[in-house]
Amino acid sequence: MNDDLTRRLRDAAAALDDAVEPVTAEAARGRAPARGPSRRPMLIGAAVALAVVAVGGLLVLNRDDSASVDILPVGTTSTTSTTTTSTTSSTTTAPATPPVDTTGLPDEGFAVTNGDGLMHLYDGAGTFLAETTIPDGPDNDSWMTLDSRTGLLVDTERPAALDVPAGCTSAAVGRDGGRWAICDEGRTIRVYSGDVVSMTVPTPAPDPDWTSDTLGRWRWVDPSGPVLALWGGECEVPTTFLVQDGAIIDAPGVALLSAVLAPGNDWWEAPATKPLATDGADLIIEVLPGLCSSETVAPGVYLVDDEPVLLVPYDDVAQRATWWVRGCAECGNRLEDAIVTALADLGLAGCCGEPSHGGPNARAGATVDGQGIFIWADAHADARTSHGTGPRLPSPDGSARDRIAVVSSSNPSGLGETIVTFSCSTDTFSLGGGDVDTMVGLADELIPRLGCGLTSPVLVEDAADDRLEVMAEWLATHFTPAGFGPRWEAEPAVVEQAVSARLDAGFIVEIDVILLDALFEDVEIPDATRYEQDGFVAGIGEVDGITVATFTCDDYVVSLASDEPIRTDLGTVLTSMAEGLGRSIPCEIGEPVIG
Amino acid sequence: MREPDHLEVVDGTSDRFDRFVTEVEPPLRRALVAAYGADVGREAAADALAWAWENFDRLRAMTNPGGYLYRVGQSSTRRGRRDRRRTELRVVDGAQEDRLPVEPALAEALARLTPSQRAAVLLIDGWGVTLQEAADTMGARVSTVRTHRRRALDKLRIDLGVDP
């Protein structure tokens, strides 16, 4: 890139940083309504119910299991919830885009913005159909769905394969489900059925000396209708081909248009380029002001037939065209369809989802009892894929629930999250963002409506020793995960298996359980204090400013450490945690290894 | 059972939100300011972060909370929640009325880009973030941001008379 332009952009960025004050967390809180964040009862309970049991010194968290949850349709009021009686409809935001009367509309067409926040819908022949506002949502300039049920325009992305094959730069899904990928730096187009290449599209002008510097290459392939692909180099005359039965055919009219327009514009990169479904050779394109030379033609939307026809001229530089298709905006794939249909059957208001962007997974949500609960589904994945391996938390009593797992998860930001997950056929569904009871209740209602067979979630993979699993579950049940929660760690080079946890007990406690006979350096605690009660023995002391409690349990060494100097209350908590952990499994408590 | 004498009950939500804002606010603000101008963009960022505080639990379940907040900010500008103040980058009769507070020629050229193009080119070429980081910030796919940036650079070169 040109150094001068780079410098000017960097200067501009620096000037913007100087001119605009950051938004602080305090300001954001002050700007929000007084209600503040919705809080999950489990987390609050974890904090307020933290208590030390004097007898035995066991640290116990009391969970509130008393709340029963009803799944309520929109607009009704809870009568059983102990926490809220708000109506679910109150949190549903009115759509920003007014509905379009879809009666008699074709299946697809194009829409043009007019610069005033309005959008005009046309059919493929350029006939005006309706006026609406620009839909709220991501500005991806490529694709919109006109929801046949609601009449709302929704910004979505052109169906595309999320998994771009190795060696390829882009891939799009054809109507037969195959992935059409541009590979080898534009030299070839391959069609994948699953992971197998079912067809390779030949280049229009094979060049044995082809290198990455060769000008000609495949620029795009659009397989969503009749497959059209464009070959060319920047500022050269591009050629669009129709791909039929593995052969490439010059698309009538397109070459003519190329001759008329080129090299004066970048029509071949226009995002709204889209073939008509009514005629395999016709093409609707958007022409924008040229980049490669000063030549240009009138910007607007053209129909390319025997000769180009200007359907909608642009008279405003802000005008842009987008292709639209009729469909179900909220059910872009199998899993979204299943979730949305189930929520509609329950009469629940949707919320807080994201479009699938053409991928196989679903991100939806529902408002239940005033809580916005995220529901996401991973296709052909078990719970390990979705959440990693880790301990299961006990599900609330009285639910189904040996097939529903409550897990402690976290995301890369380190924000801990309690998630309800279940496996249905080959897919895994997960719920987050609400309190556990509500999410489990919703899962119970969803499962029979998803049309799939419930299977046991696979969460703990090949736990060689049940004792590890029990200890991990005890930790996860009794403490709030801090950052990354309790999880299995397999480090074959060091230990066969271990469980480590980082827990919030009012202060952060790091816990490691590892095999005694592994490559482990003993915990040496000079001047350790021996703690003994009812057969449980532990050592506690300070090492390099860190307070450590340790005990042995059969062939495991367990250490609990807090990054603070030893003091009475800290010692009490650590020994209480150690004892609770040691008593959580049937094992023989040995002498602590304290150096 | 006795109450602990020394264990301070810590919820931690406020602290977590502070950390979250520290991480997310700079790219979010920059992207929205680049797209919609200094005043409107900052207002949109403030709206998005206020929404984040209201819905912090929901954000935790998202894989890309920053990208989602960018869209919340976009919605904020479109819905005109505020007092419909004039946007800095509004184009009237083909002439730019207000511009980004940067050098005049560049400001004029930037004003001719779409909001997404401005955000992409300023994030990547101005603030020096990677393509992936820009895509995460804008809640868009890498290929989409790459296209926005390329078009933006092409237009800027032409408008500013800069050789490729």
Side-chain angles (χ1 to χ4, degrees):
Chain A
M1 192 179 126
N2 184 280
D3 289 342
D4 180 60
L5 184 53
T6 302
R7 178 188 56 76
R8 292 165 79 172
L9 287 168
R10 287 179 180 165
D11 289 346
L16 288 173
D17 274 345
D18 290 338
V20 181
E21 288 281 332
V23 181
T24 64
E26 186 179 359
R29 280 190 286 265
R31 193 182 188 92
R35 181 172 61 84
S38 59
R39 307 248 177 129
R40 285 170 292 143
M42 186 174 178
L43 278 181
I44 296 173
V48 301
L50 198 64
V52 176
V53 179
V55 178
L58 186 62
L59 203 61
V60 174
L61 180 146
N62 293 321
R63 290 185 55 204
D64 181 4
D65 292 325
S66 62
S68 64
V69 178
D70 286 342
I71 304 303
L72 300 174
V74 177
T76 59
T77 302
S78 169
T79 55
T80 56
S81 168
T82 58
T83 56
T84 179
T85 56
S86 65
T87 58
T88 56
S89 59
S90 63
T91 59
T92 303
T93 303
T97 307
V100 173
D101 181 3
T102 60
T103 307
L105 293 190
D107 289 337
E108 56 188 334
F110 64 90
V112 177
T113 59
N114 69 355
D116 292 329
L118 296 175
M119 180 163 269
H120 289 174
L121 270 58
Y122 299 89
D123 66 12
T127 305
F128 173 79
L129 301 173
E131 180 180 86
T132 183
T133 57
I134 299 172
D136 190 28
D139 178 21
N140 58 43
D141 293 335
S142 65
W143 194 271
M144 292 186 301
T145 297
L146 178 60
D147 195 308
S148 299
R149 302 173 307 168
T150 63
L152 295 178
L153 266 179
V154 179
D155 247 325
T156 51
E157 290 204 4
R158 186 181 297 244
L162 290 185
D163 297 327
V164 177
C168 306
T169 54
S170 66
V173 179
R175 289 191 172 175
D176 62 353
R179 289 181 298 167
W180 291 69
I182 295 177
C183 310
D184 301 335
E185 300 182 35
R187 189 177 186 182
T188 58
I189 293 175
R190 295 193 201 115
V191 185
Y192 287 80
S193 296
D195 294 329
V196 178
V197 177
S198 59
M199 186 173 74
T200 299
V201 178
T203 57
D207 179 358
D209 299 324
W210 195 94
T211 69
S212 60
D213 294 330
T214 303
L215 288 178
R217 66 200 65 200
W218 289 114
R219 290 292 171 182
W220 54 245
V221 57
D222 186 343
S224 56
V227 178
L228 284 164
L230 186 133
W231 174 272
E234 274 192 74
C235 299
E236 289 191 336
V237 178
T239 307
T240 303
F241 294 91
L242 188 63
V243 182
Q244 284 184 344
D245 301 326
I248 53 176
I249 305 166
D250 281 329
V254 176
L256 176 62
L257 182 72
S258 301
V260 171
L261 301 180
N265 59 73
D266 64 341
W267 65 269
W268 42 273
E269 286 192 337
T273 300
K274 178 74 176 64
L276 278 175
T278 53
D279 184 334
D282 286 355
L283 185 66
I284 287 182
I285 63 169
E286 179 186 42
V287 175
L288 297 172
L291 294 178
C292 296
S293 78
S294 59
E295 294 179 37
T296 188
V297 296
V301 178
Y302 285 77
L303 168 67
V304 182
D305 197 350
D306 292 333
E307 59 184 48
V309 177
L310 180 58
L311 298 178
V312 178
Y314 287 176
D315 54 12
D316 187 321
V317 294
Q319 283 185 290
R320 291 291 183 274
T322 309
W323 197 260
W324 60 264
V325 294
R326 288 181 64 170
C328 175
E330 297 297 329
C331 34
N333 59 36
R334 172 178 61 89
L335 295 176
E336 283 180 331
D337 189 26
I339 294 173
V340 171
T341 302
L343 293 177
D345 189 42
L346 287 167
L348 291 173
C351 78
C352 46
E354 295 180 67
S356 65
H357 302 304
N361 303 324
R363 286 185 172 275
T367 303
V368 181
D369 237 10
Q371 300 177 44
I373 295 179
F374 283 92
I375 306 167
W376 64 100
D378 297 319
H380 308 298
D382 64 31
R384 288 170 299 180
T385 306
S386 298
H387 307 298
T389 58
R392 290 167 55 176
L393 310 187
S395 296
D397 293 337
S399 88
R401 318 269 176 112
D402 55 337
R403 299 282 173 89
I404 299 174
V406 184
V407 300
S408 177
S409 185
S410 59
N411 62 31
S413 300
L415 303 173
E417 178 74 14
T418 300
I419 291 167
V420 169
T421 185
F422 57 91
S423 296
C424 224
S425 298
T426 60
D427 311 312
T428 291
F429 293 76
S430 304
L431 292 78
D435 68 68
V436 173
D437 294 305
T438 303
M439 292 192 292
V440 170
L442 177 57
D444 273 345
E445 297 290 342
L446 283 176
I447 286 167
R449 291 172 171 83
L450 292 173
C452 54
L454 202 60
T455 56
S456 294
V458 179
L459 286 166
V460 178
E461 184 175 24
D462 299 330
D465 193 321
D466 289 342
R467 293 168 299 179
L468 281 172
E469 183 178 349
V470 172
M471 280 192 277
E473 290 192 1
W474 189 90
L475 289 168
T477 305
H478 289 78
F479 298 96
T480 303
F484 292 97
R487 65 190 187 278
W488 296 105
E489 286 188 346
E491 299 177 81
V494 181
V495 293
E496 286 187 5
Q497 278 206 318
V499 59
S500 64
R502 189 167 187 268
L503 301 173
D504 189 347
F507 44 82
I508 301 300
V509 180
E510 305 274 357
I511 299 172
D512 290 297
V513 183
I514 64 174
L515 282 167
L516 180 61
D517 58 359
L519 299 174
F520 173 65
E521 294 182 3
D522 294 346
V523 178
E524 294 188 13
I525 311 176
D527 304 320
T529 300
R530 181 184 169 87
Y531 170 88
E532 183 169 1
Q533 182 155 335
D534 298 331
F536 177 80
V537 186
I540 186 163
E542 182 179 316
V543 181
D544 297 331
I546 297 172
T547 303
V548 179
T550 183
F551 65 95
T552 63
C553 175
D554 287 345
D555 49 350
Y556 287 100
V557 169
V558 183
S559 63
L560 303 88
S562 182
D563 191 14
E564 297 181 33
I566 194 166
R567 61 176 192 269
T568 303
D569 63 302
L570 189 57
T572 301
V573 170
L574 285 185
T575 49
S576 298
M577 290 179 72
E579 186 170 354
L581 193 56
R583 295 186 188 281
S584 68
I585 57 174
C587 67
E588 183 177 342
I589 302 294
E591 281 296 309
V593 182
I594 52 177
Chain B
M1 181 182 296
R2 64 177 174 82
E3 291 296 321
D5 295 330
H6 304 287
L7 292 179
E8 182 184 359
V9 174
V10 176
D11 177 8
T13 300
S14 191
D15 289 342
R16 292 192 188 102
F17 184 70
D18 287 354
R19 291 197 297 273
F20 176 79
V21 170
T22 300
E23 178 184 340
V24 166
E25 191 272 346
L28 175 69
R29 166 175 41 86
R30 287 169 169 173
L32 288 168
V33 164
Y36 301 106
D39 286 349
V40 174
R42 189 186 181 281
E43 285 292 296
D47 276 353
L49 290 170
W51 186 94
W53 172 243
E54 287 180 77
N55 301 275
F56 196 38
D57 283 342
R58 296 183 190 181
L59 278 177
R60 295 178 189 190
M62 299 181 188
T63 54
N64 180 16
Y68 195 88
L69 289 181
Y70 180 76
R71 297 180 182 196
V72 172
Q74 283 184 310
S75 300
S76 169
T77 65
R78 290 173 180 167
R79 288 175 182 157
R81 286 176 183 159
R82 295 172 297 279
D83 53 356
R84 282 292 178 193
R85 68 189 62 187
R86 190 177 62 189
T87 69
E88 286 192 340
L89 294 163
R90 190 162 62 130
V91 174
V92 177
D93 296 333
Q96 186 183 355
E97 199 169 63
D98 294 308
R99 299 184 175 92
L100 285 169
V102 300
E103 58 151 310
L106 181 59
E108 190 171 337
L110 286 169
R112 294 198 185 97
L113 306 180
T114 66
S116 294
Q117 289 171 347
R118 271 193 300 274
V121 76
L122 278 169
L123 281 173
I124 296 168
D125 299 293
W127 280 291
V129 308
T130 65
L131 195 59
Q132 181 66 59
E133 289 168 338
D136 290 343
T137 298
M138 297 170 66
R141 293 165 58 186
V142 167
S143 59
T144 302
V145 174
R146 182 190 292 120
T147 301
H148 286 317
R149 179 202 177 217
R150 188 180 69 239
R151 291 201 174 116
L153 288 173
D154 287 344
K155 290 181 181 177
L156 289 175
R157 287 180 185 125
I158 290 172
D159 282 354
L160 297 171
V162 175
D163 293 331

